[in-house]
Amino acid sequence: MGSEKETIKRSLTNIGQEDYYIRGIEGWNKMASPTSRPEPALSWLDSAIRVKPLQLADSWKKQQVEDALKKIHLTGAQVLRIKEVFHSEVERGIHEQPSSLQMENTYIPELPNGTEEGMFLALDLGGTNFRVILLELSNGALIRENVKRYHIREELRLGCGERLFDFLAECVSDFVRSQNLGGTRLPLGFTFSFPMIQKGLDVGILLTWTKSFNCPSVVGRDAVQMLREAINRRGDTHVEVLAVLNDTTGTLIQGAVLDKKTAIALILGTGSNACYIERADRVQHWEGQRHGEKEVIIDIEWGAFGDNGVLDFIKTDYDRKVDENSLITNSFTFEKYISGKYLGEIVRVIVVKLVEDCVLFGGTVSDALLTTGAFTTSFVSLIEQDTVGNNCENTPEILDKLGLSYNADDIAIMKYICETVSNRAALLVSICTATLLERLDRPDTTIAVDGSLYKYHPRLKSWMNKYIHLLAPEKKFKLLLAEDGSGKGAGLVAAIALRLKQRFSQT
Ligand code: BGC
């Protein structure tokens, strides 16, 4: 089953958009030809998603900026089309048909039930810092948490994968020693926030790296096995890796502890992803024995949405440029529209174009502005803070930092670009979240969210509340910040894994 899925993934990269339509998604066949359906009247949606127009006295400049950003503004018709495409990709993915969505079975069929007890280790790998965490649980509640962070140097993130895993094992040893737990048997949950093909709760085959990692030699290998081997090579700890999970899954578990209605989780940070609780009978990819599970958490890996071309109708030249400048090109299309690793870069690419057209900064660029990655998403959030607060504190400071000379028009244009790019991200996330809400047969759902973009962007949350409501009007929902699911959630998943292991060994 797993290898079949891998072949599918590989062949998908070779399927062009047209071919994809021909292979057929029912709805898409109807939509493929623009003449086959009348364009729906969507003025209500167009106006609901529109950002405030740019105010500039110079009408030439205003026109230039509007033309440059025209394609970043989604239309109501595009929004509905994305919703249909996402729905269709979810359906195809869950039925193991070609789809850009992995819809991975996490093999986690239940949530914490308040009986979790004892000491657990959690590992969190996904960003430039690796965390090792000791969690002590009593009746499902966290009573102790000790954390240590280890910086992962670039040469490890972009080098030989075996060395990376040796480094992780070295950190585990260091941590266990520092806690005087050398002789203690410790169940471990491993948060590995990259796309994996899961063949069980403790088997995760790395499909591709994302964000700031690229160690090609270990793609296609099992992250748990590599970790176990590295730990065994050292032989100085007694940890038992019971589960591998994604940060989104950890967030859902952590969300469920905070609010029992949690059934969807999102990560909006450097990378982006979502997971949700699916009916087990709808899930086709299930290796090993089923044990009468009613539900299971599905890791969507929505960062890859559109990698097969189904989102090409919204791709702009700026998005193409951002992809060209990225670590792994032609991969993680959706993540490159919405996540913290890329929003600042989209803004930078647009700004460079407007400088070249002599619309911004009197046509004079700075070296910093020409550097990929120099305009971070934290700048976008800070400039957005100025817009939301109707002031002008952060924007000039950022432009100074980038070595640019500016006037009041430049500031207004910078604010408008950041708003437009952020708004598109909020809309895209909301479209997919609304589609998931509609998929769940629940009257009231809590959506657990974590990630730096969500936490620090001043109005992502309010836009999401508005757009999700607009796109799934029948559904009651709440966005809940569930911090550190990749740490606490991993400990809880290790406890659930232990419970399942004991239960299944008795049957
Ligand atoms: C990874 C996901 C992860 C997300 C958020 C993406 O790049 O592919 O597995 O959940 O980032 O960290």
Side-chain angles (χ1 to χ4, degrees), residues 91-105:
E91 274 295 310
R92 294 173 68 86
I94 206 90
H95 291 111
E96 296 220 90
Q97 292 164 1
S99 165
S100 56
L101 298 178
Q102 218 180 306
M103 306 299 291
E104 201 57 39
N105 186 345

Side-chain angles (χ1 to χ4, degrees), residues 268-272 335 338-345 375-378 452-453:
L268 304 172
T270 307
S272 181
E335 180 157 290
I338 60 171
S339 84
K341 178 128 182 82
Y342 304 101
L343 286 190
E345 183 60 10
F375 197 98
T376 61
T377 299
S378 61
S452 48
L453 179 65

